[in-house]
Amino acid sequence: MERIYMDHAATTPMDKRVAEAMTPIFTEVFGNPSSVHAFGRLARQYLDSARRTLARSIQAREKEMIFTSGGTEADNLAIIGTAMANRDKGNHIITTMQEHHAVLDAVQYLEEQGFHVTYLPVNETGIVSVDKLKEALTDETIVVSVMYVNNETGVIQPIEAIGSLLKDHQAMFHTDAVQAFGLLDIDVNREGIDMLSASAHKINGPNGIGVLYAGDDIAMASMQFGGEQERKRRPGTENIPAAVGFKRALELAMEYKLVRNDVYEQYKQTFLEALANHNIRYYVNGDAEQTVPSIVNISFPGTNVETLLTNFDLDGVAASSGSACTAGSVEPSHVLAAMFGRGDERITNSIRFSFGAFNTIDNVSEAADRVAEIIKRLTNERRQET
Ligand SMILES: Cc1ncc(COP(=O)(O)O)c(C=O)c1O
């Protein structure tokens, strides 16, 4: 039985071309980029070149890119680092109920430190309201964090409208773009974004490296101490092979962006049509228009998440019920709870399928056939029990 990976929003397979770009660096470019000698200077060239490519992709400047260990650290540093450094300007933070835990847990930590946090609701289609954000803003607000694309539903948030609302406000606008970077056209200037997080392993790059874009003028406290790297905001010797891999992954993502988006849209339609052809009852969660083609979140009435995921896995289909961090424990999705309310059935019967490099039209329709058979079996069993 062929195993079919439909969980690219959790992580992606590394592209062979990325591995090829990284391999010689491990042994040949071993200098410390902080060293002044030729070995160090060579390492610095690779690091600077990676930083330049990442910066250009979002119309930022090279010096505004801070390498981190991934999306989680970038989110933490953006939110906690700026909140701590700007305490004299206010103690209010705004975010949304549907953020990734890398943001939610960071703001919860700040609450424990005495900051006041507003959690904005989202509507039934998973979109945050710019008007509600406007109402929540006060003279004390110092950070606003709204994700670019939701990792469970794929819904795209009104980032440019939020950026323009905050243009004349002191609050710094952070967006967790981990699910958007390399997939959508991002321009931090046009969209009024002050800080942006991204991660390499979501775009067929290596694990363990991410980046935080933070505008030059932003006061940010470091959460680590010990060196001058990354303009003192993230001290520690840089990971050159990973930076090179991140650069190569981004280049490939940009080169194939349009084609990939078309292909993923085809996968999504093929998958949904196949389910419909099998007469499966389902609902797609999240806005039908404002969404990335690579993620589809589907509710199957009369089923439950744990049983579905176990049966999918037994039949070789890898999907998930939400963020990878909570999938092991199958906690109810806080994203769907924010959209539908805590008591809604969809929270207990929804699955996220996400498409990427491991998929083909054939394995997507094969996955849909397997999923359909499982749903039929489980709903029949349930009918017989009742
Ligand atoms: C929206 C979002 N933010 C942050 C993260 C965390 O990124 P990383 O795994 O690189 O720490 C993820 C990963 O699932 C994500 O989807």
mmCIF file of all heavy atoms in Angstrom, residues 285-310:
data_model
loop_
_atom_site.group_PDB
_atom_site.id
_atom_site.type_symbol
_atom_site.label_atom_id
_atom_site.label_comp_id
_atom_site.label_asym_id
_atom_site.label_seq_id
_atom_site.Cartn_x
_atom_site.Cartn_y
_atom_site.Cartn_z
ATOM 1 N N ASN A 285 -14.754 23.821 5.894
ATOM 2 C CA ASN A 285 -14.693 24.876 6.907
ATOM 3 C C ASN A 285 -13.789 26.001 6.418
ATOM 4 O O ASN A 285 -12.676 25.736 5.955
ATOM 5 C CB ASN A 285 -14.111 24.324 8.216
ATOM 6 C CG ASN A 285 -14.962 23.200 8.784
ATOM 7 O OD1 ASN A 285 -16.191 23.253 8.743
ATOM 8 N ND2 ASN A 285 -14.312 22.167 9.302
ATOM 9 N N GLY A 286 -14.276 27.236 6.555
ATOM 10 C CA GLY A 286 -13.441 28.375 6.160
ATOM 11 C C GLY A 286 -13.967 29.018 4.892
ATOM 12 O O GLY A 286 -14.672 28.393 4.102
ATOM 13 N N ASP A 287 -13.575 30.257 4.703
ATOM 14 C CA ASP A 287 -14.052 31.059 3.582
ATOM 15 C C ASP A 287 -13.731 30.375 2.241
ATOM 16 O O ASP A 287 -12.642 29.848 2.045
ATOM 17 C CB ASP A 287 -13.356 32.425 3.629
ATOM 18 C CG ASP A 287 -14.050 33.433 2.752
ATOM 19 O OD1 ASP A 287 -13.743 33.476 1.544
ATOM 20 O OD2 ASP A 287 -14.905 34.175 3.267
ATOM 21 N N ALA A 288 -14.706 30.394 1.335
ATOM 22 C CA ALA A 288 -14.522 29.700 0.056
ATOM 23 C C ALA A 288 -13.567 30.454 -0.875
ATOM 24 O O ALA A 288 -12.895 29.845 -1.697
ATOM 25 C CB ALA A 288 -15.870 29.521 -0.619
ATOM 26 N N GLU A 289 -13.503 31.775 -0.710
ATOM 27 C CA GLU A 289 -12.674 32.583 -1.630
ATOM 28 C C GLU A 289 -11.315 32.928 -1.027
ATOM 29 O O GLU A 289 -10.286 32.756 -1.673
ATOM 30 C CB GLU A 289 -13.394 33.906 -1.953
ATOM 31 C CG GLU A 289 -14.794 33.750 -2.514
ATOM 32 C CD GLU A 289 -14.787 33.150 -3.911
ATOM 33 O OE1 GLU A 289 -13.854 33.488 -4.654
ATOM 34 O OE2 GLU A 289 -15.685 32.351 -4.231
ATOM 35 N N GLN A 290 -11.366 33.435 0.215
ATOM 36 C CA GLN A 290 -10.132 33.929 0.841
ATOM 37 C C GLN A 290 -9.337 32.789 1.454
ATOM 38 O O GLN A 290 -9.225 32.672 2.680
ATOM 39 C CB GLN A 290 -10.494 34.936 1.943
ATOM 40 C CG GLN A 290 -10.981 36.269 1.453
ATOM 41 C CD GLN A 290 -9.962 36.943 0.565
ATOM 42 O OE1 GLN A 290 -8.791 37.032 0.893
ATOM 43 N NE2 GLN A 290 -10.409 37.410 -0.589
ATOM 44 N N THR A 291 -8.797 31.929 0.616
ATOM 45 C CA THR A 291 -8.108 30.776 1.179
ATOM 46 C C THR A 291 -6.955 30.345 0.278
ATOM 47 O O THR A 291 -6.996 30.575 -0.938
ATOM 48 C CB THR A 291 -9.138 29.637 1.385
ATOM 49 O OG1 THR A 291 -8.472 28.525 1.935
ATOM 50 C CG2 THR A 291 -9.805 29.205 0.113
ATOM 51 N N VAL A 292 -5.932 29.731 0.857
ATOM 52 C CA VAL A 292 -4.835 29.208 0.031
ATOM 53 C C VAL A 292 -5.259 27.855 -0.533
ATOM 54 O O VAL A 292 -5.985 27.115 0.135
ATOM 55 C CB VAL A 292 -3.504 29.077 0.820
ATOM 56 C CG1 VAL A 292 -2.931 30.438 1.151
ATOM 57 C CG2 VAL A 292 -3.662 28.232 2.061
ATOM 58 N N PRO A 293 -4.808 27.503 -1.739
ATOM 59 C CA PRO A 293 -5.261 26.245 -2.338
ATOM 60 C C PRO A 293 -4.660 25.004 -1.689
ATOM 61 O O PRO A 293 -5.157 23.903 -1.884
ATOM 62 C CB PRO A 293 -4.791 26.358 -3.795
ATOM 63 C CG PRO A 293 -3.715 27.357 -3.789
ATOM 64 C CD PRO A 293 -3.973 28.295 -2.662
ATOM 65 N N SER A 294 -3.594 25.188 -0.909
ATOM 66 C CA SER A 294 -2.881 24.022 -0.374
ATOM 67 C C SER A 294 -3.534 23.406 0.863
ATOM 68 O O SER A 294 -3.146 22.309 1.277
ATOM 69 C CB SER A 294 -1.438 24.412 -0.061
ATOM 70 O OG SER A 294 -1.432 25.600 0.691
ATOM 71 N N ILE A 295 -4.497 24.102 1.475
ATOM 72 C CA ILE A 295 -5.105 23.579 2.708
ATOM 73 C C ILE A 295 -6.617 23.478 2.535
ATOM 74 O O ILE A 295 -7.249 24.418 2.045
ATOM 75 C CB ILE A 295 -4.806 24.506 3.916
ATOM 76 C CG1 ILE A 295 -3.291 24.596 4.156
ATOM 77 C CG2 ILE A 295 -5.516 24.013 5.177
ATOM 78 C CD1 ILE A 295 -2.880 25.508 5.304
ATOM 79 N N VAL A 296 -7.186 22.335 2.917
ATOM 80 C CA VAL A 296 -8.652 22.256 2.968
ATOM 81 C C VAL A 296 -9.053 21.549 4.261
ATOM 82 O O VAL A 296 -8.495 20.513 4.617
ATOM 83 C CB VAL A 296 -9.251 21.586 1.697
ATOM 84 C CG1 VAL A 296 -8.787 20.156 1.524
ATOM 85 C CG2 VAL A 296 -10.768 21.635 1.687
ATOM 86 N N ASN A 297 -9.971 22.188 4.987
ATOM 87 C CA ASN A 297 -10.413 21.663 6.275
ATOM 88 C C ASN A 297 -11.855 21.193 6.129
ATOM 89 O O ASN A 297 -12.734 21.972 5.773
ATOM 90 C CB ASN A 297 -10.303 22.781 7.324
ATOM 91 C CG ASN A 297 -10.442 22.257 8.739
ATOM 92 O OD1 ASN A 297 -11.443 21.628 9.082
ATOM 93 N ND2 ASN A 297 -9.454 22.507 9.564
ATOM 94 N N ILE A 298 -12.077 19.886 6.351
ATOM 95 C CA ILE A 298 -13.384 19.316 6.007
ATOM 96 C C ILE A 298 -14.052 18.692 7.229
ATOM 97 O O ILE A 298 -13.424 17.927 7.970
ATOM 98 C CB ILE A 298 -13.233 18.228 4.920
ATOM 99 C CG1 ILE A 298 -12.424 18.779 3.734
ATOM 100 C CG2 ILE A 298 -14.586 17.736 4.454
ATOM 101 C CD1 ILE A 298 -12.196 17.764 2.624
ATOM 102 N N SER A 299 -15.330 19.011 7.384
ATOM 103 C CA SER A 299 -16.123 18.405 8.461
ATOM 104 C C SER A 299 -16.940 17.245 7.882
ATOM 105 O O SER A 299 -17.578 17.391 6.830
ATOM 106 C CB SER A 299 -17.032 19.505 9.031
ATOM 107 O OG SER A 299 -18.153 18.947 9.634
ATOM 108 N N PHE A 300 -16.873 16.081 8.552
ATOM 109 C CA PHE A 300 -17.642 14.903 8.133
ATOM 110 C C PHE A 300 -18.691 14.589 9.199
ATOM 111 O O PHE A 300 -18.353 13.967 10.223
ATOM 112 C CB PHE A 300 -16.707 13.691 7.950
ATOM 113 C CG PHE A 300 -15.653 13.877 6.889
ATOM 114 C CD1 PHE A 300 -14.323 14.127 7.236
ATOM 115 C CD2 PHE A 300 -15.980 13.807 5.539
ATOM 116 C CE1 PHE A 300 -13.345 14.293 6.259
ATOM 117 C CE2 PHE A 300 -15.008 13.982 4.550
ATOM 118 C CZ PHE A 300 -13.688 14.229 4.918
ATOM 119 N N PRO A 301 -19.922 15.026 9.008
ATOM 120 C CA PRO A 301 -20.952 14.813 10.038
ATOM 121 C C PRO A 301 -21.092 13.330 10.393
ATOM 122 O O PRO A 301 -20.957 12.465 9.522
ATOM 123 C CB PRO A 301 -22.229 15.328 9.368
ATOM 124 C CG PRO A 301 -21.760 16.251 8.303
ATOM 125 C CD PRO A 301 -20.445 15.743 7.839
ATOM 126 N N GLY A 302 -21.318 13.078 11.677
ATOM 127 C CA GLY A 302 -21.527 11.693 12.126
ATOM 128 C C GLY A 302 -20.233 10.938 12.386
ATOM 129 O O GLY A 302 -20.267 9.720 12.591
ATOM 130 N N THR A 303 -19.089 11.636 12.364
ATOM 131 C CA THR A 303 -17.820 10.948 12.640
ATOM 132 C C THR A 303 -17.111 11.647 13.793
ATOM 133 O O THR A 303 -17.611 12.643 14.316
ATOM 134 C CB THR A 303 -16.879 11.015 11.422
ATOM 135 O OG1 THR A 303 -16.527 12.378 11.199
ATOM 136 C CG2 THR A 303 -17.528 10.438 10.172
ATOM 137 N N ASN A 304 -15.959 11.114 14.168
ATOM 138 C CA ASN A 304 -15.158 11.842 15.157
ATOM 139 C C ASN A 304 -13.670 11.784 14.843
ATOM 140 O O ASN A 304 -13.192 10.822 14.254
ATOM 141 C CB ASN A 304 -15.570 11.412 16.559
ATOM 142 C CG ASN A 304 -14.560 10.601 17.313
ATOM 143 O OD1 ASN A 304 -13.475 10.282 16.860
ATOM 144 N ND2 ASN A 304 -14.958 10.252 18.503
ATOM 145 N N VAL A 305 -12.998 12.870 15.194
ATOM 146 C CA VAL A 305 -11.621 13.105 14.756
ATOM 147 C C VAL A 305 -10.663 11.957 15.073
ATOM 148 O O VAL A 305 -9.927 11.488 14.195
ATOM 149 C CB VAL A 305 -11.067 14.393 15.415
ATOM 150 C CG1 VAL A 305 -9.608 14.584 15.109
ATOM 151 C CG2 VAL A 305 -11.838 15.591 14.982
ATOM 152 N N GLU A 306 -10.677 11.474 16.334
ATOM 153 C CA GLU A 306 -9.706 10.439 16.734
ATOM 154 C C GLU A 306 -9.873 9.198 15.869
ATOM 155 O O GLU A 306 -8.905 8.648 15.345
ATOM 156 C CB GLU A 306 -9.885 10.030 18.204
ATOM 157 C CG GLU A 306 -9.315 11.005 19.204
ATOM 158 C CD GLU A 306 -10.369 11.983 19.688
ATOM 159 O OE1 GLU A 306 -11.403 12.162 18.981
ATOM 160 O OE2 GLU A 306 -10.161 12.584 20.752
ATOM 161 N N THR A 307 -11.142 8.736 15.711
ATOM 162 C CA THR A 307 -11.395 7.529 14.927
ATOM 163 C C THR A 307 -10.992 7.768 13.472
ATOM 164 O O THR A 307 -10.394 6.891 12.838
ATOM 165 C CB THR A 307 -12.907 7.169 14.977
ATOM 166 O OG1 THR A 307 -13.363 7.458 16.295
ATOM 167 C CG2 THR A 307 -13.158 5.738 14.633
ATOM 168 N N LEU A 308 -11.317 8.929 12.952
ATOM 169 C CA LEU A 308 -10.966 9.226 11.557
ATOM 170 C C LEU A 308 -9.457 9.161 11.348
ATOM 171 O O LEU A 308 -8.976 8.447 10.466
ATOM 172 C CB LEU A 308 -11.456 10.621 11.158
ATOM 173 C CG LEU A 308 -12.940 10.815 10.920
ATOM 174 C CD1 LEU A 308 -13.246 12.282 10.628
ATOM 175 C CD2 LEU A 308 -13.417 9.942 9.759
ATOM 176 N N LEU A 309 -8.714 9.863 12.211
ATOM 177 C CA LEU A 309 -7.262 9.927 12.003
ATOM 178 C C LEU A 309 -6.615 8.553 12.128
ATOM 179 O O LEU A 309 -5.720 8.202 11.361
ATOM 180 C CB LEU A 309 -6.628 10.902 13.002
ATOM 181 C CG LEU A 309 -6.889 12.384 12.716
ATOM 182 C CD1 LEU A 309 -6.249 13.257 13.778
ATOM 183 C CD2 LEU A 309 -6.369 12.788 11.332
ATOM 184 N N THR A 310 -7.099 7.755 13.089
ATOM 185 C CA THR A 310 -6.537 6.404 13.255
ATOM 186 C C THR A 310 -6.827 5.575 12.017
ATOM 187 O O THR A 310 -5.943 4.880 11.506
ATOM 188 C CB THR A 310 -7.178 5.718 14.482
ATOM 189 O OG1 THR A 310 -7.249 6.665 15.529
ATOM 190 C CG2 THR A 310 -6.423 4.492 14.919
#
